[in-house]
């Protein structure tokens, strides 16, 4: 059982490690700045063991939604709960033990090796002055193994390829030992092979570790291929949420992106493939 701590320092013995029901519950959560609505009142539930892809055009509210889930932004209204507890009731480190967030623009890694970067994932467990324990070391080693980084552990992060670097950041999230990982465009600027590599890794981690994964993705075909559910936003509202087959229809995609779309089936796998007309 993982102990959670409220803002007042009291301990909350909520155990989310074995829950299979909804972990994130958002009810009417919205974001407005100076009268401009970034995200209209939004309700959704997310559970562990699933990969969710957030899709939609630029400015549709994708990053705002992800930031709300990761406590990187404050809602203007509504509520967000994690494991039944309002997210604002968690202390910062306690929340980070359960939810890991990776922004699109990652911090500088100058002079850091892969092992050192992955080790930062243990910060929520021991704090800035805590010593690295045997458990911390095992988590770091396991995370690097899962991300297939064993041979790169002592390489400087800045010398890695784009795909290797992204795997290193994902390994850091895995070492954090959270139940949910949130990623803002994890495949941006990656070539096709590395996009597949990263998304396959995220799906495998979701299955093997019962992780909830929420990722903003621009390639609808990659999203449909690797995600269990898609959440399509348009003008700050969820247009539709469901299985890939529910969304990969020409009429649905036209409504989401505002341009004529077609969907065909892959001749071998029968997977849906969408493209602009």
């Amino acid at each position: 059982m993982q102990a959670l701590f409220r803002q007042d320092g009291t301990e909350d013995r909520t155990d989310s490690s074995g829950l299979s029901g909804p972990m994130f519950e958002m009810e009417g959560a919205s974001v407005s700045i100076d009268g401009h609505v970034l995200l209209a009142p939004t309700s959704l539930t997310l559970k562990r063991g699933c990969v969710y892809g957030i899709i939609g055009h630029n400015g549709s509210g994708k990053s705002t939604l992800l930031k709300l889930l990761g406590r990187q932004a404050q809602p203007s209204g509504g509520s967000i709960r994690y494991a039944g507890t309002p997210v604002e009731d968690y202390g910062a480190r306690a929340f980070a033990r359960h939810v890991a967030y990776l922004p699109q623009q990652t911090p500088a890694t100058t002079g850091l090796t892969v092992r050192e970067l992955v080790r930062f994932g243990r910060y929520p467990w021991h704090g800035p002055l805590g010593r690295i324990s045997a458990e911390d070391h095992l988590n770091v080693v396991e995370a690097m193994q899962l991300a297939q980084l064993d041979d790169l552990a002592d390489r400087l992060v800045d010398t890695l390829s784009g795909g290797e670097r992204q795997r290193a950041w994902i390994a850091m999230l895995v070492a954090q030992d959270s139940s949910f990982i949130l990623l803002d465009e994890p495949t941006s600027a990656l070539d096709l092979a590395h996009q597949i590599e990263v998304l396959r890794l995220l799906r495998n981690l979701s299955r093997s570790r019962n992780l909830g994964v929420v990722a903003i993705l621009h390639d609808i075909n990659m999203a449909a291929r690797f995600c269990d559910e898609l959440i399509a936003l348009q003008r700050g509202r969820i247009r539709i949420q469901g299985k890939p087959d529910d969304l990969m229809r020409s009429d649905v995609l036209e409504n989401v992106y505002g341009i004529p779309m077609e969907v065909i089936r892959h001749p071998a796998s029968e997977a849906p493939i969408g493209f602009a007309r």
Side-chain angles (χ1 to χ4, degrees), residues 10-248:
T10 60
E11 187 172 337
D12 177 5
R13 300 298 293 179
T14 302
D15 180 9
S16 65
S17 59
L19 295 179
S20 58
M23 296 299 288
F24 269 113
E25 296 173 288
M26 180 180 287
E27 292 186 1
S30 63
V31 176
S32 298
I33 298 179
D34 297 329
H36 178 61
V37 177
L38 301 181
L39 188 72
T42 298
S43 299
L44 60 84
T45 59
L46 304 171
K47 62 183 181 180
R48 293 176 62 174
C50 285
V51 180
Y52 298 90
I54 303 178
I55 63 172
H57 55 75
N58 289 340
S60 60
K62 301 186 300 297
S63 291
T64 301
L65 174 59
L66 196 74
K67 287 177 180 178
L68 282 182
L69 293 172
R71 291 208 330 180
Q72 304 298 306
Q74 296 295 320
S76 304
S79 65
I80 307 169
R81 295 188 299 276
Y82 181 82
T85 300
V87 295
E88 63 270 19
D89 287 355
Y90 290 90
R93 279 176 52 198
F95 187 72
R97 293 174 185 175
H98 294 271
V99 179
Y101 173 84
L102 187 66
Q104 183 180 357
Q105 300 296 328
T106 53
T109 54
T110 306
L112 285 179
T113 66
V114 170
R115 192 192 317 274
E116 289 168 336
L117 175 61
V118 176
R119 193 178 292 157
F120 276 121
R122 299 305 298 163
Y123 170 81
W125 297 95
H126 58 66
L129 302 178
R131 299 182 112 191
I132 298 295
S133 67
E135 181 182 358
D136 292 325
H137 178 71
L138 288 175
N139 273 275
V140 170
V141 170
E142 181 185 16
M144 288 192 296
Q145 289 175 343
L146 288 169
Q148 299 180 349
L149 293 168
D150 304 70
D151 296 339
L152 303 175
D154 297 316
R155 284 269 303 275
L156 291 174
V157 176
D158 290 349
T159 68
L160 303 179
S161 69
E164 291 168 340
R165 190 178 302 116
Q166 197 69 323
R167 281 194 284 127
W169 281 106
I170 292 172
M172 187 198 74
L173 302 185
V174 173
Q176 195 167 324
D177 203 21
S178 302
S179 301
F180 259 85
I181 57 177
L182 315 176
L183 308 102
D184 193 341
E185 298 189 34
T187 58
S188 64
L190 296 183
D191 60 36
L192 181 60
H194 284 125
Q195 288 182 46
I196 293 174
E197 178 184 276
V198 166
L199 291 173
R200 182 176 288 132
L201 170 61
L202 290 172
R203 186 177 62 184
N204 290 343
L205 288 171
S206 176
R207 302 292 190 267
S208 64
R209 297 175 67 91
N210 193 31
L211 284 176
V213 177
V214 186
I216 294 175
L217 300 170
H218 278 292
D219 189 321
I220 57 172
N221 295 315
M222 287 292 185
R225 176 176 175 180
F226 288 100
C227 296
D228 300 300
E229 287 196 21
L230 300 179
I231 302 169
L233 274 74
Q234 184 187 59
R235 297 189 182 93
R237 298 179 183 274
I238 294 180
R239 169 67 67 174
I240 184 172
Q241 176 182 357
K243 302 294 184 184
D245 277 348
D246 296 333
L247 276 75
M248 293 298 285

